[in-house]
């Protein structure tokens, strides 16, 4: 007998309640801690409810694990109906625990980070609203409700990225960065919206269960399914920052660091990955789309990874790292390893949230200095931040046996075993880049000699409210991968519990793909040793270069100045978009739409209409003479005209 599933709506209720309390009354609260802990507790309570549901779920028989919790009828037009209902199953409850678990730690951290900010109450109201929207997205049982959450996180990201809207950021303000994120995401959202229209046209419903049940009867490669999945993936490229819509995410660093951790770790940027996983049956029926997903994913991983090699802003390095890691998740989706992609999503949430919060601790200690070239030697001032940051760097680099090793190596193995040596090789190159730029970041920030004025800057460790989340996330980054031990390393026959848990969600898609893994156990060992050796080699190379041979690195940069500048300027993609899209549209808008259509056509038409009515009224007013005989003549004239019309007809 299910006893906790009825609590599911309260997972949404508490973050919404936190938003309303702080949003309506936060300005009047005199105590910052009260505001911060109201918001943090709201998300933490949702996490505890999700954990309670999860614990019951794992004890239930397979057929009882999934349940729809109906709240109310949302839209009803003829035979078309959409309910505001929540789908509780293995995938949604796992995502809910990630979002609320990591989210509550970020909320807790933000209490210390945002201390003294004039918009403290507003910041925490936005954070709670963001969590609420993300939970709507992951718990929705239909495409329209998912789209509501999808747009909700987009609006909240705009508010949070531009929170310090009047501050300068690169070539503009943080408000400009927020607008860029909002507009670029609208392009992807348009694809998602078109996909919804096609789904209604094809299936007559937006309910996940009904759509997937009908689609499972279709043949692989069906044109309409391919169209729908390509449009859905366009939406995913916007939210999850893949080529060509990745350009918003690095600029999102304009927001406060807790925002960067929240958006880039466990929530908004993973929405696209979650959506593809949720629609795994549709994607399994569209091999062309899967190929596109894998290719876009690996290209994004390589492009973003190469840019991260030379960035000097501590948050920018992590931003391009996020884009790259999202690319790996899509590679997993593209080769049909849906549970592996979600596994990497989870481990990434741990170590990337830790990296961003660690970066925030550094920025907090360095009085908002973000250039790693102006740091160095900080480990003696920030021992907890350094140790936790170092663990996260090991995890993301894929060092055995940290969490990232299990998830990233499993992606590479799935790519290889499904017959794509090219994907595996490109993935290995991307992994080497990741290890190199992460330990370039660690070395330049924490090790070596101080490159800042120690009389001007007095770095100090962050307060406990900030370091406690770092320690918890460090533990998760270190051991979180052991829930999915691959068969090759399962010497104690523990089993891949993560894959077993999610298997019912992806079993139909896996059957449609009919995956056959190629390669022996020894092949997997060889590939594992290869990827680990390359990652460890890249780590030692980075440490050697930036600790002992910095002059050599500078000479290399000068020798390959053109290539270095291309990477430093992010392949000039923003400039290319500016020249080929933004400026032409602006010119067309100004020269044609405004000066011709608006001013000469619309304005002149309206002016002519006003003048014509004015003239007509000046003529008709003469009829109002006040003489009854004149009115009688008009009546007779009108009757004659009516008879004439009737006669002609």
């Amino acid at each position: 007998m299910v006893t906790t599933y009825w609590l599911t709506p309260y997972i949404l209720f508490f973050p919404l309640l936190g938003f309303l309390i702080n949003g309506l009354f936060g300005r009047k609260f005199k105590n910052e801690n009260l505001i911060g802990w109201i918001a943090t507790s709201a998300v933490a309570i949702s996490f505890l409810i999700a954990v309670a549901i999860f614990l019951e779920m794992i004890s239930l028989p397979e057929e009882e694990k999934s349940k729809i919790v109906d709240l109310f009828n949302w839209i009803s037009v003829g035979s078309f109906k959409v309910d505001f209902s929540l789908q509780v199953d293995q995938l949604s409850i796992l995502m809910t625990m990630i979002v609320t678990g990591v989210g509550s730690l970020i909320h807790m951290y933000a209490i210390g980070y945002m201390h003294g900010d004039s918009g403290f109450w507003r910041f925490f109201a936005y954070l709670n609203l963001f969590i609420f929207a993300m939970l709507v997205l992951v718990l929705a049982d239909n495409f329209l409700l998912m789209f509501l959450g999808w747009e909700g996180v987009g609006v909240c990201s705009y508010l949070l990225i531009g929170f310090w809207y009047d501050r300068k950021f690169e070539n503009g303000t943080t408000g400009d960065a927020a607008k860029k994120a909002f507009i670029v995401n609208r392009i992807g959202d348009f694809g998602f919206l078109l996909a919804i229209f096609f789904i209604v046209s094809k299936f007559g419903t937006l309910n996940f269960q009904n759509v997937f049940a009908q689609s499972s009867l279709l043949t692989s490669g069906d044109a309409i399914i391919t169209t729908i999945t390509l449009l859905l993936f366009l939406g995913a490229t916007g939210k999850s920052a893949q080529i060509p819509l990745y350009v918003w995410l690095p600029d999102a660093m304009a927001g406060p660091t807790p925002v960067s951790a929240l958006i880039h770790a466990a929530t908004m940027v993973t929405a696209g990955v979650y959506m593809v996983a949720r629609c795994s049956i549709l994607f399994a029926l569209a091999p062309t789309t899967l190929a596109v997903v894998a290719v876009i994913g690996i290209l994004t991983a390589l492009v973003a990874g190469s840019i991260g090699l030379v960035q000097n802003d501590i948050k920018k390095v992590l931003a391009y790292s996020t884009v790259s890691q999202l690319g790996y998740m899509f590679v997993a989706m593209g080769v049909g390893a849906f549970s592996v992609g979600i596994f990497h999503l989870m481990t990434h949430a741990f170590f990337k949230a830790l990296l961003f919060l660690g970066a925030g601790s550094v920025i907090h200690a360095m009085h908002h200095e973000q250039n790693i070239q102006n740091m160095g030697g900080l480990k003696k001032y920030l021992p907890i931040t350094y140790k936790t940051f170092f663990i996260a760097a090991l995890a993301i680099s894929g060092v055995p046996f940290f969490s990232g090793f299990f998830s990233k190596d499993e992606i590479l193995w799935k790519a290889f075993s499904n017959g794509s040596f090219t994907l595996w090789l490109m993935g290995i190159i991307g992994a080497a880049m990741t290890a190199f730029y992460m330990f370039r970041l660690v070395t330049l920030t924490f090790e070596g000699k101080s490159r800042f004025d120690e009389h001007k800057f007095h770095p100090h460790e962050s307060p406990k409210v900030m370091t406690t989340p770092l320690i918890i996330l460090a533990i998760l980054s270190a051991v979180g991968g052991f829930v999915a031990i691959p068969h090759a390393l399962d010497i104690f026959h523990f089993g891949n519990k993560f894959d077993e848990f999610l298997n019912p969600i992806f079993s139909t898609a896996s059957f449609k793909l009919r995956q056959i893994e190629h390669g022996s156990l020894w092949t997997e060992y060889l590939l594992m040793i290869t990827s680990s050796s390359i990652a460890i080699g890249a780590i030692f190379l980075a440490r050697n270069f930036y600790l002992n041979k910095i002059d050599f690195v500078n000479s290399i940069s000068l020798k390959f100045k053109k290539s270095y500048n291309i990477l430093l300027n992010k392949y000039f993609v923003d400039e290319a978009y500016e020249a080929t899209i933004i400026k032409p549209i602006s010119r067309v808008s100004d020269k044609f739409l405004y000066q011709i259509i608006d001013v000469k056509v619309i304005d002149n038409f309206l002016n002519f209409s006003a003048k014509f009515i004015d003239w007509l009224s000046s003529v008709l007013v003469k009829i109002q003479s006040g003489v009854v005989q004149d009115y009688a003549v008009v009546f007779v004239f009108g009757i004659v005209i009516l008879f004439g019309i009737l006669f002609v007809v």
Side-chain angles (χ1 to χ4, degrees):
M1 185 70 178
V2 174
T3 58
T4 57
Y5 279 43
W6 67 273
L7 291 170
T8 304
Y10 291 97
I11 295 175
L12 300 179
F13 172 74
F14 284 105
L16 182 61
L17 180 64
F19 160 70
L20 292 174
I21 292 173
N22 282 331
L24 294 174
F25 309 109
R27 187 193 296 269
K28 298 177 182 178
F29 294 153
K30 303 298 183 183
N31 191 331
E32 280 187 355
N33 285 333
L34 176 62
I35 296 170
W37 284 111
I38 286 173
T40 304
S41 299
V43 182
I45 292 171
S46 294
F47 171 69
L48 293 175
I49 294 172
V51 170
I53 295 172
F54 166 75
L55 292 175
E56 180 173 9
M57 182 181 289
I58 59 178
S59 66
L60 291 172
E62 207 60 59
E63 63 276 6
E64 295 182 22
K65 290 184 187 294
S66 180
K67 182 178 175 62
I68 303 298
V69 180
D70 295 313
L71 298 183
F72 55 86
N73 179 258
W74 184 19
I75 297 172
S76 182
V77 182
S79 60
F80 178 75
K81 289 181 172 56
V82 178
D83 293 329
F84 198 107
S85 300
L86 308 179
Q87 179 162 332
V88 186
D89 60 15
Q90 294 91 324
L91 179 59
S92 64
I93 203 65
L94 177 67
M95 285 295 297
T96 299
M97 288 192 296
I98 294 171
V99 170
T100 54
V102 176
S104 59
L105 292 174
I106 293 170
H107 275 68
M108 180 180 175
Y109 174 95
I111 295 172
Y113 189 87
M114 298 300 292
H115 172 66
D117 194 282
S118 59
F120 192 90
W121 63 273
R122 183 165 52 90
F123 180 78
F124 278 93
Y126 290 165
L127 282 186
N128 272 180
L129 184 61
F130 186 98
I131 293 291
F132 168 76
M134 188 67 194
L135 290 172
V136 170
L137 191 158
V138 300
L139 287 168
D141 90 318
N142 61 76
F143 283 99
L144 194 59
L145 188 56
M146 176 185 272
F147 189 70
L148 178 67
W150 190 273
E151 291 300 289
V153 295
V155 171
C156 293
S157 69
Y158 169 78
L159 296 172
L160 288 166
I161 294 168
F163 181 76
W164 290 323
Y165 52 85
D166 55 345
R167 293 192 183 184
K168 294 293 182 182
F169 178 75
E170 291 192 350
N171 297 323
T173 63
T174 57
D176 296 326
K179 285 189 288 185
K180 182 177 181 179
F182 192 79
I183 292 168
V184 171
N185 270 277
R186 296 292 72 72
I187 298 170
D189 296 351
F190 180 66
F192 194 171
L193 196 58
L194 285 178
I196 290 175
F197 293 151
F198 275 106
I199 290 168
V200 172
S201 175
K202 176 67 176 177
F203 302 107
T205 179
L206 290 174
N207 181 272
F208 289 144
Q209 291 185 341
N210 295 337
V211 170
F212 299 155
Q214 292 182 51
S215 64
S216 63
L217 302 176
L218 300 175
T219 57
S220 180
D222 186 276
I224 188 68
I225 294 296
T226 301
T227 302
I228 289 170
T229 50
L230 284 172
L231 289 170
L232 288 174
F233 181 59
L234 175 60
T237 61
K239 274 290 181 289
S240 295
Q242 298 295 286
I243 292 173
L245 301 179
Y246 71 93
V247 292
W248 69 268
L249 192 142
D251 284 7
M253 297 299 100
T257 302
V259 173
S260 304
L262 191 65
I263 290 177
H264 298 153
T267 54
M268 179 173 164
V269 294
T270 60
V273 180
Y274 169 77
M275 183 259 283
V276 173
R278 174 59 72 189
C279 302
S280 59
I281 297 173
L282 297 179
F283 282 84
L285 291 168
T288 301
T289 304
L290 286 180
V292 171
V293 171
V295 170
I296 292 295
I298 198 63
L299 289 177
T300 303
L302 290 176
V303 168
S306 62
I307 295 172
L309 291 171
V310 299
Q311 297 302 306
N312 292 316
D313 185 310
I314 188 171
K315 288 172 68 177
K316 279 288 183 73
V317 176
L318 299 178
Y320 281 105
S321 168
T322 298
V323 177
S324 181
Q325 295 306 307
L326 289 165
Y328 279 102
M329 296 176 207
F330 280 110
V331 169
M333 298 294 164
V335 299
F338 299 106
S339 63
V340 178
I342 296 297
F343 179 40
H344 194 56
L345 183 156
M346 183 187 76
T347 59
H348 178 263
F350 300 152
F351 55 68
K352 186 52 60 67
L354 175 54
L355 288 168
F356 269 113
L357 297 184
S361 185
V362 170
I363 295 167
H364 183 264
M366 292 294 292
H367 305 287
H368 298 287
E369 174 62 64
Q370 294 186 200
N371 191 333
I372 58 176
Q373 300 291 350
N374 299 329
M375 297 180 186
L378 287 177
K379 68 178 181 181
K380 63 182 178 182
Y381 300 105
L382 311 172
I384 297 175
T385 300
Y386 167 68
K387 291 171 184 175
T388 54
F389 198 95
F390 192 84
I391 289 171
L394 291 173
I396 193 175
S397 300
V399 172
F401 291 90
F402 292 84
S403 60
F405 162 76
F406 292 102
S407 57
K408 188 183 292 186
D409 202 79
E410 192 71 3
I411 292 173
L412 296 174
W413 167 244
K414 291 293 183 182
F416 182 88
S417 63
N418 282 288
S420 183
F421 175 77
T422 303
L423 275 180
W424 176 83
L425 181 61
M426 295 173 75
I428 285 291
I429 295 171
M433 289 181 182
T434 301
F436 186 88
Y437 67 65
M438 281 310 307
F439 276 85
R440 169 183 180 264
L441 177 61
V442 170
T443 305
L444 289 177
T445 303
F446 293 100
E447 302 185 27
K449 296 180 180 178
S450 300
R451 295 183 299 280
F452 57 89
D453 187 348
E454 296 188 16
H455 298 290
K456 181 180 178 182
F457 293 99
H458 304 284
H460 55 84
E461 187 60 273
S462 300
K464 285 186 178 181
V465 74
M466 294 173 66
T467 56
T468 301
L470 299 183
I471 295 169
I472 295 172
L473 288 169
I475 294 170
L476 292 172
S477 298
V479 303
F482 284 94
V483 298
I485 300 175
H487 177 67
L489 296 177
D490 192 13
I491 57 176
F492 297 108
H493 305 290
F494 181 73
N496 191 327
K497 300 301 182 184
F498 191 91
D499 190 62
E500 292 172 10
F501 181 67
L502 288 179
N503 183 60
I505 302 295
F506 303 125
S507 58
T508 304
S510 299
F511 176 77
K512 293 288 182 183
L513 290 170
R514 292 181 174 85
Q515 292 178 321
I516 300 174
E517 293 194 354
H518 304 282
S520 66
L521 200 62
W522 287 107
T523 304
E524 186 173 359
Y525 284 137
L526 179 62
L527 297 180
M528 197 178 293
I529 292 170
T530 302
S531 63
S532 300
S533 300
I534 290 174
I536 293 171
I539 290 171
F540 280 107
L541 189 65
R543 288 178 63 80
N544 188 39
F545 276 178
Y546 292 98
L547 267 181
N548 307 318
K549 299 181 179 178
I550 192 69
D551 293 334
F552 172 73
V553 174
N554 293 333
S555 66
I556 290 290
S557 301
L558 291 173
K559 188 174 182 180
F560 298 97
K561 190 174 182 179
K562 288 185 177 179
S563 300
Y564 178 81
N565 283 334
I566 289 172
L567 295 179
L568 189 64
N569 289 283
K570 302 157 285 188
Y571 293 104
F572 297 99
V573 172
D574 283 310
E575 290 78 2
Y577 284 173
E578 180 80 22
T580 59
I581 298 175
I582 298 172
K583 285 186 177 178
I585 289 177
S586 297
R587 282 196 291 267
V588 169
S589 299
D590 180 51
K591 302 294 183 182
F592 179 69
L593 295 178
Y594 170 65
Q595 295 185 17
I596 296 177
I597 300 298
D598 192 17
V599 175
K600 293 185 178 180
V601 177
I602 296 175
D603 285 358
N604 285 339
F605 175 75
L606 293 174
N607 292 334
F608 170 78
S609 300
K611 289 178 181 178
F612 175 74
I613 295 298
D614 182 58
W615 170 81
L616 185 61
S617 63
S618 68
V619 172
L620 295 177
V621 75
K622 295 177 181 178
I623 298 174
Q624 304 296 325
S625 62
V627 179
V628 175
Q629 292 88 335
D630 291 346
Y631 296 158
V633 171
V634 172
F635 293 158
V636 172
F637 183 70
I639 292 170
V640 171
I641 291 175
L642 288 174
F643 274 117
I645 293 172
L646 290 172
F647 178 77
V648 171
V649 172

